Amino acid sequence: MAYRRLPSLSALRAFEAAARHESAKQAAEELSVTATAISHQIRLLEESLGVSLFLRKPRKLELTAQGRELQQVLETAFDTIATAVERLSAKPCRQAITLSTTPAIAVRWLVPWVCMLRDSHPDIDLRFHTSHEPVALDGVTADVAIRYGDGRWPGLVAEKLFDNTFIPACSPLLGLHDAAELPNHSLIHFHAQAAASAPIHWAAWQKIANVPGLDVSAGLVFSDETHAISAALGAQGVALMSRQLIEGELKEGRLVQPFGPEMPGKPFHLVYPESRRDDPTIQAVRDWVMAVPGGLCDVTG
């Protein structure tokens, strides 16, 4: 490997500043040295090159033809170096990523643990897109999603998060213990508007339970699971809900499961495009979701 034969870089820098300002004094102020030091560096450079770089005139330095040629080269070189240094020392670019999921999953499970992602990846700006309808993971509407289903979505990687079991649940204040008493209480329904795959409804539960006199078309209807849960907590009736969504309330006794039957639903999956499997930002969010403590968090009370 050949070695570069270059004059003193300090001398080149002093010359370039003096040529740009046409003044040794102003060059000295820029470089925080004395004008004498600038003049000394320029003389050393001229001796090294064997040419005169300046015509010394009163109160002004005027470049010779050789000096102008060197000044043009150095100006370009120093500008290139300055640009590279600025780019390398600049703060890392922030990465925005959109996660699409249902309102209940976002509010009751993920939002309380966003701090984990922020601590491990402070350069990532997480954006939530809440919807019961699957959206395009095209990098515009969303990048990654949590979906309810069988895990088969063409072109997408699907990683199972947790199973889903639907149970009747209500406030203990209702004093409900037997399914035969259910017709005396309001049913709480969750019907997501425009959802491609809906969770289990009371009509499906009644086909198995066959409770006499139960009108599964009556009761309170909500398009948001979190509202249905709030109604159940307020003793407004009996809800058919995913056990995973109300795990906290069940453990604390604020909701109870008075009777069965239980009904298995489709599990939730984390999904993202196969083509972005190795995307560092996707993987950072994936690792965060997988690390979120099990059991959906209670943030209603």
Side-chain angles (χ1 to χ4, degrees):
M1 180 177 179
Y3 291 96
R4 294 186 180 90
R5 298 181 60 185
L6 296 174
S8 163
L9 292 179
S10 296
L12 291 173
R13 191 179 181 202
F15 163 75
E16 190 277 333
R20 181 161 27 89
H21 292 291
E22 298 182 341
S23 167
K25 181 180 179 181
Q26 292 183 37
E29 291 175 355
E30 177 182 321
L31 301 179
S32 300
V33 296
T34 65
T36 301
I38 293 292
S39 297
H40 177 67
Q41 291 286 353
I42 293 173
R43 281 197 300 272
L44 290 177
L45 181 60
E46 289 177 324
E47 292 174 1
S48 172
L49 298 176
V51 297
S52 294
L53 299 174
F54 287 108
L55 297 174
R56 274 74 173 177
K57 294 186 176 182
R59 300 181 183 179
K60 184 179 180 181
L61 293 176
E62 184 176 314
L63 288 166
T64 63
Q66 295 91 336
R68 189 170 304 283
E69 181 180 350
L70 180 59
Q71 188 267 340
Q72 291 173 350
V73 172
L74 290 178
E75 183 177 28
T76 301
F78 286 145
D79 284 346
T80 301
I81 293 171
T83 300
V85 169
E86 182 178 0
R87 183 177 64 253
L88 293 173
S89 61
K91 293 181 179 179
C93 294
R94 302 195 64 78
Q95 299 292 322
I97 186 168
T98 300
L99 169 63
S100 178
T101 187
T102 66
I105 293 293
V107 172
R108 301 180 61 78
W109 187 37
L110 295 178
V111 169
W113 300 101
V114 168
C115 57
M116 293 171 54
L117 178 65
R118 186 168 57 245
D119 290 344
S120 59
H121 296 280
D123 58 324
I124 292 179
D125 292 325
L126 180 63
R127 300 172 181 174
F128 282 100
H129 176 283
T130 56
S131 172
H132 292 288
E133 185 175 8
V135 299
L137 302 184
D138 53 7
V140 178
T141 305
D143 301 280
V144 61
I146 294 177
R147 289 186 178 174
Y148 173 84
D150 57 16
R152 293 191 294 270
W153 293 283
L156 299 179
V157 177
E159 300 189 52
K160 183 178 175 180
L161 294 175
F162 48 82
D163 290 311
N164 232 352
T165 301
F166 287 81
I167 62 172
C170 63
S171 167
L173 297 177
L174 294 184
L176 185 59
H177 301 287
D178 193 297
E181 304 169 13
L182 188 55
N184 300 323
H185 297 270
S186 293
L187 298 182
I188 298 174
H189 303 266
F190 161 57
H191 292 285
Q193 297 178 354
S197 58
I200 294 172
H201 295 156
W202 277 112
W205 183 88
Q206 171 67 344
K207 287 182 179 180
I208 299 176
N210 195 25
V211 177
L214 181 63
D215 182 1
V216 296
S217 64
L220 299 171
V221 181
F222 296 94
S223 61
D224 189 316
E225 286 168 289
T226 57
H227 297 163
I229 294 170
S230 294
L233 286 166
Q236 300 302 310
V238 185
L240 186 65
M241 297 299 302
S242 166
R243 176 187 285 137
Q244 285 70 22
L245 278 178
I246 57 174
E247 193 67 40
E249 290 86 355
L250 291 171
K251 288 180 179 179
E252 294 172 4
R254 293 194 291 146
L255 288 177
V256 296
Q257 178 187 349
F259 44 75
E262 299 181 357
M263 299 187 69
K266 295 179 180 179
F268 280 96
H269 295 79
L270 177 71
V271 299
Y272 48 91
E274 176 71 39
S275 61
R276 299 184 66 184
R277 182 189 289 271
D278 298 324
D279 185 315
T281 308
I282 292 283
Q283 285 305 306
V285 172
R286 179 261 180 206
D287 293 345
W288 164 64
V289 171
M290 292 298 182
V292 168
L296 291 131
C297 302
D298 168 28
V299 293
T300 61

